[in-house]
Amino acid sequence: MAIIGIVAVVGGLVAAVALIGGNTRHVADAGYSSTYPSDTYETTSADETTETTSSTEETTTSRTTERTTRTSEQPSGPRSVVATGNNPMFGSPDYGLQNIPCSLSRWATDQGSATRFFESGIACLDAMWSRMLGAVDLPFRSPKLSVPRSLSESSTPCGSGGTTTGVTPFYCPSNDTIYMPMDRIEIDVWGNHPGPYLSMLAHEYGHHVQNLAGISEAYGNQRYDAGADSAIGLELSRRMELEAQCFSGMFLGSASVSGGSVDKNIYNEAWNAQDRGDDYARNGKRDHGSAKHNIAWWQHGATKNRNQQCNTWLSASGDVS
């Protein structure tokens, strides 16, 4: 996967912005706490993805029917499809995020300002992803958000989030909640630059999208069967995480051309904040992907803005190592 380090963004197309700033090494990327359902699912063989750069999506009515709990009585409305590489999200090479202006609350490093910033970021993500999921008849609901000073202030059904380091934000599928603890978002590194925080949020929201679509359940089935810490299980985890990286890039790339709060400075800050992954994990566990691939997949999503271009499930093992 060839990635170009200078990008441009104009109107509804991804286009050419000079990037500034250097990379900083970080701990493993934000976590996804897996649950392993009992059913299994087999993926289909890989298809070739396209190189299109337009960022419009097929327009259909967005559906926002909420599916709250699994019961013996099936809810009406759109339902998740338990599939990874052949999920309906990847049904057409034209599926991507519409360029919708984003209105962000001003970032500051105090808890109240950070909470308002993340809430406004979720509203922006909701506006884009609800349309995408609705277009392919998949369910949508907005995730909940928790921004404690530290995770010790919160009780979560996912514990510490199952992260490699225990010091990163995470998404908990059990209660549809994105946890962004103030002591886990690297304020000492990023300070008053909002771009990295927005990309972290968009990564966790990417896991929420996977959960809504049914990708998470299919992934959990496959990893359970393979063994969570087996070579295959760890590769599945990397595919999951790198797809969320790509989805994060899609959002930032689309929002940055829409005339809203996500300007070129925020986009550039996010672009330069993706040097993270297993290379810096304290326990050496390779379940998030190398720093090289965390950077590459995020930038690929930002420049392509196409769901199929983020389909890590059909990519060669060498692209998710």
Side-chain angles (χ1 to χ4, degrees):
M1 177 181 62
I3 302 296
I4 300 174
I6 297 182
V7 188
V9 212
V10 190
L13 302 177
V14 178
V17 185
L19 302 175
I20 59 174
N23 291 328
T24 305
R25 296 183 177 184
H26 305 288
V27 296
D29 203 353
Y32 175 85
S33 179
S34 301
T35 54
Y36 302 120
S38 57
D39 296 331
T40 60
Y41 184 86
E42 295 295 330
T43 58
T44 59
S45 58
D47 295 322
E48 190 69 26
T49 56
T50 64
E51 292 294 322
T52 178
T53 59
S54 171
S55 62
T56 58
E57 115 183 41
E58 291 185 356
T59 57
T60 48
T61 303
S62 173
R63 301 188 182 182
T64 57
T65 302
E66 182 174 355
R67 184 164 66 92
T68 54
T69 59
R70 294 180 184 176
T71 65
S72 57
E73 181 180 346
Q74 291 295 330
S76 60
R79 299 178 187 174
S80 302
V81 176
V82 183
T84 51
N86 62 340
N87 193 276
M89 283 188 62
F90 309 119
S92 167
D94 294 326
Y95 292 162
L97 295 179
Q98 289 184 338
N99 298 343
I100 300 172
C102 177
S103 180
L104 291 174
S105 179
R106 187 176 182 83
W107 169 262
T109 57
D110 63 280
Q111 187 180 17
S113 296
T115 299
R116 289 187 292 273
F117 176 84
F118 290 134
E119 288 173 343
S120 65
I122 285 178
C124 297
L125 286 151
D126 283 351
M128 289 193 187
W129 282 110
S130 63
R131 297 188 185 202
M132 178 62 254
L133 292 167
V136 293
D137 203 33
L138 290 170
F140 175 77
R141 57 185 176 271
S142 182
K144 295 183 281 292
L145 172 70
S146 177
V147 189
R149 284 187 294 270
S150 67
L151 193 63
S152 61
E153 295 181 2
S154 298
S155 175
T156 157
C158 292
S160 64
T163 65
T164 303
T165 62
V167 292
T168 52
F170 64 95
Y171 169 73
C172 180
S174 300
N175 62 356
D176 276 344
T177 301
I178 295 173
Y179 291 89
M180 303 292 289
M182 295 294 290
D183 62 346
R184 292 188 173 205
I185 57 177
E186 299 181 290
I187 291 175
D188 58 328
V189 175
W190 304 119
N192 288 317
H193 300 284
Y197 307 108
L198 187 60
S199 70
M200 289 181 208
L201 179 71
H203 175 105
E204 299 313 325
Y205 197 102
H207 287 313
H208 180 61
V209 170
Q210 292 168 325
N211 193 33
L212 294 173
I215 292 171
S216 301
E217 184 174 347
Y219 154 76
N221 292 336
Q222 293 169 28
R223 195 176 179 199
Y224 179 83
D225 288 344
D229 291 330
S230 68
I232 294 174
L234 291 172
E235 181 175 304
L236 288 167
S237 178
R238 294 194 298 271
R239 292 181 188 276
M240 186 78 164
E241 291 296 333
L242 292 171
E243 184 176 67
Q245 274 290 89
C246 196
F247 286 166
S248 173
M250 280 179 62
F251 168 72
L252 267 293
S254 182
S256 68
V257 301
S258 301
S261 301
V262 184
D263 58 17
K264 292 178 181 179
N265 288 330
I266 289 178
Y267 177 75
N268 289 343
E269 289 172 359
W271 180 284
N272 286 310
Q274 305 310 317
D275 183 18
R276 56 180 68 244
D278 296 334
D279 298 12
Y280 314 123
R282 297 172 186 174
N283 63 1
K285 194 172 184 178
R286 301 200 65 83
D287 59 356
H288 278 65
S290 66
K292 174 183 175 181
H293 286 136
N294 271 269
I295 294 168
W297 279 104
W298 192 93
Q299 294 179 355
H300 195 61
T303 56
K304 298 298 182 183
N305 188 17
R306 281 294 181 271
N307 297 359
Q308 277 193 6
Q309 295 289 327
C310 290
N311 192 349
T312 57
W313 309 101
L314 303 185
S315 297
S317 293
D319 289 334
V320 293
S321 62

